[in-house]
Amino acid sequence: VQLLESGGGLVQTGGSLRLSCAASGFTFSSYIMSWVRQAPGKGLEWVSSIIASGGSPYYADSVKGRFTISRDNSKNTLYLQMNSLGAEDTAVYYCAKTSTFDMWGQGTMVTVSS
Amino acid sequence: DVVMTQSPLSLPVTLGQPASISCRSSQSLVYSDGNIYLNWFQQRPGLSPRRLIYKVSNRDSGVPDRFSGSGSGTDFTLKISRVEAEDVGVYYCMQGTHWPRTFGQGTKVEIK
């Protein structure tokens, strides 16, 4: 089982970024998938989850209306579209399998700076 | 939101000695299916988190049996029977019963 995130980087305040998570080693289309983030030196914060079929997304209040989770089961890939980014969104973003996070990727760093 | 409160936040331990971390939830974690979705994660320095325990007391594959989880209702405990050097890191509890998913603040385990 492997989860490989990409798409992180440096972005200006108010900007956008799209993260991707390529999954392998399991039947991606059968599982809820999630994003969890960790600000520098801080704890873990759940961001968003999406059910296997791609419907019924869940969002943390801190990102609702700004972030959009989606998935392409034909490509075994999970996405996180992040808009209106602020300094508080600076973090390592992890892709995780299921909504109880039984497997994690290596993370991708997002830095929001003015 | 369900608040998860861990204690202690820092835990210096002697190699070979036991360690215990407490986690308390602000409300019941019993799901409609009767299960309690309380999980424990380990994050070693510089690495991604790793799930150790799911549904209170079930060890994930490859997790040494010196790790055990217990609890019920709103009080849960992670125990390490004999701490080894590789156990250094931060441990988090997390509830998977309610949305939004919430984590405890983390407990930093270090060797004395």
Side-chain angles (χ1 to χ4, degrees), chain B residues 10-12 15 21 24 27 43 46 48 54 56 71 74-75 89 93:
Chain B
S10 177
L11 184 56
L15 287 173
I21 300 170
R24 179 167 291 176
Q27 57 185 271
Q43 188 174 29
S48 300
Y54 64 96
V56 181
T74 59
D75 286 290
C93 63

Side-chain angles (χ1 to χ4, degrees), chain B residues 89-101:
Chain B
V90 181
Y91 292 77
Y92 298 91
C93 63
M94 179 227 112
Q95 63 83 17
T97 296
H98 304 282
W99 296 101
R101 302 305 195 228

Side-chain angles (χ1 to χ4, degrees), chain A residues 31-101:
Chain A
Y31 293 94
I32 292 177
M33 295 295 295
S34 302
W35 290 97
V36 179
R37 68 183 180 183
Q38 186 170 37
K42 303 297 185 182
L44 300 170
E45 179 190 17
W46 169 77
V47 173
S48 182
S49 298
I50 187 168
I51 66 172
S53 65
S56 300
Y58 298 86
Y59 297 100
D61 284 347
S62 57
V63 307
K64 201 173 293 183
R66 300 187 299 123
F67 290 12
T68 302
I69 191 172
S70 62
R71 64 193 294 162
D72 186 336
N73 287 340
S74 70
K75 295 182 178 179
N76 291 346
T77 303
L78 177 72
Y79 303 101
L80 186 68
Q81 177 67 43
M82 305 186 296
N83 298 331
S84 303
L85 286 163
E88 69 278 10
D89 298 313
T90 293
V92 174
Y93 284 73
Y94 295 101
C95 167
K97 178 172 165 277
T98 78
S99 62
T100 55
F101 322 137

